[in-house]
Amino acid sequence: LFQFFWLSLNVWLFWKTFLLYYQGLQYYYLHQMLGLGLCVSRASASVLNLNCCLVLLPMCRVVLAFLRGSQKVASKKTRRLLDKSKTFHVTCGVTICIFSDLVLFLVLHVAAHLVNALNFSENYNEEFLALNAANYRGEDPRKLLFATVPGLTGVIMVLVLFLMCTASTYAIRVSNYDIFWYTHNLFFVFYMLLMLHVSGGVLKYQTNLEEHPPGCFNPNKTLRQNLTVPKAFEELFPDYTTEPFPEDLPVPESFVQNMRICSEEPKFQSHFPETWFWISGPLCLYCMERLYRYIRSNKPVTITSVISHPSNVLEIRMVKDDFEARPGQYVILHCPRVSALESHPFTLTMCPTDTKATFGVHLKIVGDWTERFRDLLLLHSNQDTEILPIFQQRRYPKLYVDGPFGSPFEESLNYEVSLCVAGGIGVTPFASVLNTLLDGWRCYKLRRLYFIWVCRDIESFRWFADLLCMLHNKLWQENRPDYINIQLYLSQTDGIQKIIGEKYQALNSRLLIGRPQWKLLFDDIAKCNRRKTIGVFCCGPNKISKILHKLSNSSNSYGTRFEYNKESFS
C-alpha cells in the first residue's frame, strides 16, 4: 500500500508539472521555442526533486531508532513499515536514476535536456533575446552542455550516478564491498552539484501576463518596426496607421473581435531554484544526525576480550560509558587502523543490562576489512579450529562504536509467540534475544519461542551452543521447558554428526539432518497456537526469506495469523 501511494505520488507530480509547462501562459514563449522537451525535462525534474528529498530520510538511523524505541509509533504494522527503510532508500535511488540518467536508461530528464540544448540552438529567438540560452542561432549545442554551469554540473551528476548505481549492484557489493562503500559516499558530491545545477537560471518564465497576454498584438512594436497595420485595424488603432495594407489582404472578422492587445513587451525572469526547497530540510536533518553520531561515537570504547570461533567467526566484547541497547539492535564499528573512512554494521549479540555493562558482536571474516581487523585483534589469526579466548595482556587497536540502531528483531519480544529463523551467521540478532531471555524472561510479553537455525557445517553451531544450553537448562529448572522450541538443521553432511561435548547433549537431540519442511512447520505451529498472532523473524539467505514470506501471507484453517519481519545480510 505504501509503495502504491509513493508511485501514485510520483505519477501525479510528473503529470501536474507536465501540464503546467504545456498549458501555462507564463511558459508560452518558452514552450514555443523548446516544445515537449521543456515539459518532459521539468516534469522529470520534479520527480527527481521528490526522490532526492525522500532518499535521505531512510538513512537517518537515529531518527528511526527514536521513533521505534520511544513508542511514538504505537502500531506494530507501522513499526514494520520503518523496517523497510532500506528498501525504500533503494527504490528512491533507482527512481532518481530512471528520471535523470541517460547513460543507464536513455530516458527523460537528460534526454529531454539534450533536446532542449538542440532547440535553444536551432530555434534562437531574435524577437525575445532574454529567452535564449544560446548566444546566436546555430551555436554548437555541446557548448551549452560543457561550457555552462547547468550543463557541466548535469554531465558530472550523470557520471556520479552511474558510478553509484553500478557499484550498488549485488555482484559488486559481494565481491568488493570497498568499491560500493566509497562510491556510495559520492552522494555528498551529487547533492552539491545538484544545488549548483539549478542555479544557472537557463529556463525563464514571463512575469507581465496582464500587460502582455501571450500571443497578443503589440501596436507599439508595429510602429517601431515601420510596419503598417491591416485596413481592418485602422478603426482600432488610428494613431498607429500610416498607410493602409493592400486591399486583397484578408483579415477574419472573428480574429479582429477576439484579438488581445498588449501594452508592453514581455518580461522574463529566471525561476528561483525549487530544488533547494525540496532537499534543504532532509539534507540538514541528515547532516545534523551525522554530526550527532560523530560526537556520540567519539566516546572511547574498551575491548575486554576477543574470541576466535570456528568457521572464521570472531567475537568481540566491549565496554562503553553510558551505552544502552535493546535486543535485536545493531552498531557500526570503525577502526582507523583498518581504514580511515570505512565502517561496517554488526548486530549486537550481547546487550548491556543493569548488572553488566558488557556488550558484544560476532563478525564473520569474509572480506578485506574483516581480515585486517582480525589480524589486528588476534595474536595468531590461523587458530580457527577451537574456541580460543585470548588472555594475554595486549594493546588492542582503537575502536569507535556508532549506535545502537533499530531493526525488526526488536519486536520479537513483543509477541506472545515468535518464530525466529536464522541461516548461518544470520543467527546474530537472535543471540541478543536469547541472552536477554537468559537474564530473565518474565518481564516480556513473549511466552513461546520457536528457534530454527540452519547451518552448512556442524562447527557453526558451536558459536552459540553454550548460550542455547544454558537457556535450555534454566527453563527446565524453572519448569518451563515448553518456553523455547529449538530446532537445529545441518544442511550439508557426509553422515551422522553431533556437536562435540557431553554438555551439548540437549542440542544433539535437537539436531536434524537436511533442510526444514517449511510448510509442515508452519502448519504445526498454527495448530499449536490457534487464533493467535505469531511474529515471524528471518535473518538469512533470500531463498529462505521468500519462502517464509509466502507462507506467512497464506491462510490456514486454525485462525492463526503470521506477521512477517525480515532482515537480509546478502
Side-chain angles (χ1 to χ4, degrees):
L1 182 62
F2 177 78
Q3 290 183 347
F4 175 78
F5 172 76
W6 169 82
L7 181 62
S8 301
L9 181 61
N10 279 274
V11 173
W12 174 81
L13 187 60
F14 181 91
W15 183 244
K16 177 178 177 293
T17 310
F18 183 93
L19 291 180
L20 174 64
Y21 282 86
Y22 186 79
Q23 300 175 346
L25 295 178
Q26 64 270 42
Y27 305 107
Y28 174 81
Y29 293 109
L30 188 62
H31 181 253
Q32 277 191 330
M33 178 188 296
L34 301 180
L36 288 178
L38 169 69
C39 307
V40 175
S41 64
R42 300 312 302 157
S44 56
S46 63
V47 176
L48 177 63
N49 287 335
L50 172 65
N51 287 277
C52 284
C53 163
L54 296 178
V55 75
L56 287 174
L57 297 179
M59 295 297 101
C60 295
R61 295 185 173 95
V62 174
V63 176
L64 295 178
F66 170 76
L67 291 176
R68 169 184 291 283
S70 62
Q71 300 297 319
K72 297 292 183 183
V73 181
S75 171
K76 286 183 181 178
K77 184 177 295 186
T78 308
R79 290 202 296 270
R80 290 204 306 274
L81 193 62
L82 296 177
D83 301 329
K84 299 184 182 297
S85 58
K86 180 182 176 182
T87 302
F88 183 65
H89 170 77
V90 174
T91 304
C92 289
V94 172
T95 305
I96 290 171
C97 293
I98 292 176
F99 279 90
S100 63
D101 201 334
L102 173 67
V103 178
L104 290 177
F105 299 95
L106 300 174
V107 290
L108 298 180
H109 191 69
V110 175
H113 271 318
L114 290 178
V115 175
N116 289 343
L118 184 62
N119 286 332
F120 269 128
S121 176
E122 293 184 353
N123 301 332
Y124 183 82
N125 196 321
E126 298 181 357
E127 186 177 4
F128 307 124
L129 298 179
L131 276 179
N132 296 305
N135 296 315
Y136 53 87
R137 185 182 298 276
E139 184 179 10
D140 190 347
R142 288 175 294 186
K143 288 185 178 181
L144 298 176
L145 293 177
F146 297 101
T148 62
V149 172
L152 184 59
T153 53
V155 171
I156 299 176
M157 281 195 296
V158 169
L159 297 177
V160 170
L161 274 177
F162 177 79
L163 291 175
M164 292 177 64
C165 293
T166 53
S168 300
T169 57
Y170 176 79
I172 293 182
R173 282 190 289 116
V174 171
S175 60
N176 197 323
Y177 186 86
D178 293 354
I179 295 178
F180 161 75
W181 195 91
Y182 285 111
T183 55
H184 224 62
N185 278 275
L186 291 174
F187 82 94
F188 185 76
V189 177
F190 174 81
Y191 275 94
M192 293 301 103
L193 291 171
L194 182 60
M195 287 189 284
L196 289 174
H197 180 70
V198 299
S199 63
V202 173
L203 303 179
K204 301 178 177 67
Y205 68 98
Q206 185 182 338
T207 58
N208 57 339
L209 293 177
E210 293 185 2
E211 295 80 6
H212 185 105
C216 67
F217 176 75
N218 190 345
N220 292 316
K221 182 177 180 181
T222 303
L223 182 62
R224 287 198 305 271
Q225 293 179 350
N226 197 25
L227 298 176
T228 58
V229 298
K231 186 176 181 179
F233 299 156
E234 289 182 8
E235 295 182 1
L236 295 174
F237 311 109
D239 298 335
Y240 300 106
T241 306
T242 55
E243 54 185 82
F245 264 61
E247 294 293 337
D248 57 348
L249 180 65
V251 179
E253 185 66 23
S254 59
F255 176 79
V256 176
Q257 295 176 354
N258 298 326
M259 185 186 60
R260 292 172 295 179
I261 312 303
C262 46
S263 59
E264 62 183 30
E265 291 293 303
K267 298 178 182 179
F268 301 97
Q269 179 178 325
S270 298
H271 269 291
F272 183 82
E274 294 181 1
T275 301
W276 291 11
F277 287 117
W278 286 93
I279 69 173
S280 58
L283 189 60
C284 289
L285 177 64
Y286 181 79
C287 291
M288 289 174 59
E289 182 185 274
R290 289 301 298 262
L291 178 62
Y292 169 74
R293 287 170 52 186
Y294 174 78
I295 297 174
R296 181 178 66 173
S297 63
N298 234 9
K299 294 181 179 179
V301 176
T302 303
I303 300 177
T304 59
S305 63
V306 178
I307 302 174
S308 179
H309 289 283
S311 303
N312 280 330
V313 170
L314 197 67
E315 180 183 357
I316 307 170
R317 295 182 181 178
M318 300 160 281
V319 175
K320 180 180 179 180
D321 293 338
D322 301 324
F323 183 83
E324 297 180 357
R326 297 186 297 272
Q329 292 187 320
Y330 70 95
V331 294
I332 297 177
L333 300 185
H334 174 58
C335 182
R337 289 183 58 185
V338 176
S339 175
L341 299 175
E342 192 175 350
S343 56
H344 289 273
F346 296 96
T347 306
L348 289 170
T349 54
M350 179 187 299
C351 294
T353 63
D354 296 335
T355 58
K356 66 177 188 299
T358 306
F359 63 97
V361 297
H362 283 64
L363 54 96
K364 191 171 180 64
I365 313 301
V366 291
D368 296 338
W369 191 92
T370 50
E371 288 179 357
R372 295 194 299 268
F373 190 39
R374 175 197 60 189
D375 294 340
L376 287 173
L377 292 174
L378 293 181
L379 293 175
H380 305 286
S381 60
N382 60 349
Q383 297 171 332
D384 60 349
T385 57
E386 59 179 334
I387 301 177
L388 179 66
I390 298 181
F391 297 106
Q392 297 92 337
Q393 295 293 326
R394 62 180 303 232
R395 189 180 182 87
Y396 290 114
K398 186 177 293 185
L399 184 66
Y400 298 97
V401 174
D402 183 15
F405 304 106
S407 80
F409 307 108
E410 295 181 58
E411 296 292 332
S412 58
L413 297 173
N414 295 329
Y415 288 90
E416 187 177 346
V417 182
S418 290
L419 168 62
C420 298
V421 179
I425 195 61
V427 72
T428 51
F430 305 122
S432 61
V433 174
L434 297 175
N435 266 308
T436 301
L437 295 177
L438 185 63
D439 293 332
W441 54 271
R442 299 182 185 276
C443 58
Y444 298 102
K445 183 179 179 181
L446 184 65
R447 287 299 174 262
R448 186 164 180 79
L449 174 65
Y450 293 88
F451 178 69
I452 315 297
W453 188 8
V454 184
C455 290
R456 292 182 178 179
D457 59 274
I458 194 70
E459 293 295 322
S460 299
F461 292 116
R462 298 179 62 194
W463 300 338
F464 298 104
D466 291 323
L467 173 61
L468 290 172
C469 286
M470 285 190 294
L471 181 59
H472 174 268
N473 295 334
K474 173 185 173 65
L475 293 172
W476 268 88
Q477 291 174 4
E478 297 180 0
N479 198 26
R480 281 302 308 271
D482 60 335
Y483 187 90
I484 184 171
N485 185 321
I486 301 173
Q487 298 182 31
L488 309 178
Y489 288 87
L490 185 62
S491 60
Q492 296 180 3
T493 179
D494 296 330
I496 299 177
Q497 300 187 31
K498 293 184 178 181
I499 304 176
I500 301 174
E502 288 296 328
K503 63 179 180 179
Y504 301 139
Q505 188 61 38
L507 298 184
N508 288 330
S509 62
R510 288 163 173 77
L511 179 62
L512 304 172
I513 306 300
R515 292 180 172 85
Q517 299 295 320
W518 298 114
K519 183 66 170 65
L520 296 176
L521 179 65
F522 268 69
D523 288 342
D524 183 59
I525 295 176
K527 184 178 180 180
C528 296
N529 301 275
R530 297 171 184 266
R531 293 181 296 277
K532 291 184 178 181
T533 299
I534 300 176
V536 181
F537 300 86
C538 174
C539 185
N542 282 327
K543 185 177 181 180
I544 296 179
S545 174
K546 290 178 180 179
I547 295 174
L548 297 182
H549 196 179
K550 182 178 179 180
L551 290 173
S552 297
N553 292 332
S554 61
S555 60
N556 57 78
S557 58
Y558 305 104
T560 306
R561 187 161 65 95
F562 293 91
E563 291 185 350
Y564 179 75
N565 304 266
K566 174 238 180 186
E567 181 171 276
S568 175
F569 54 85
S570 57

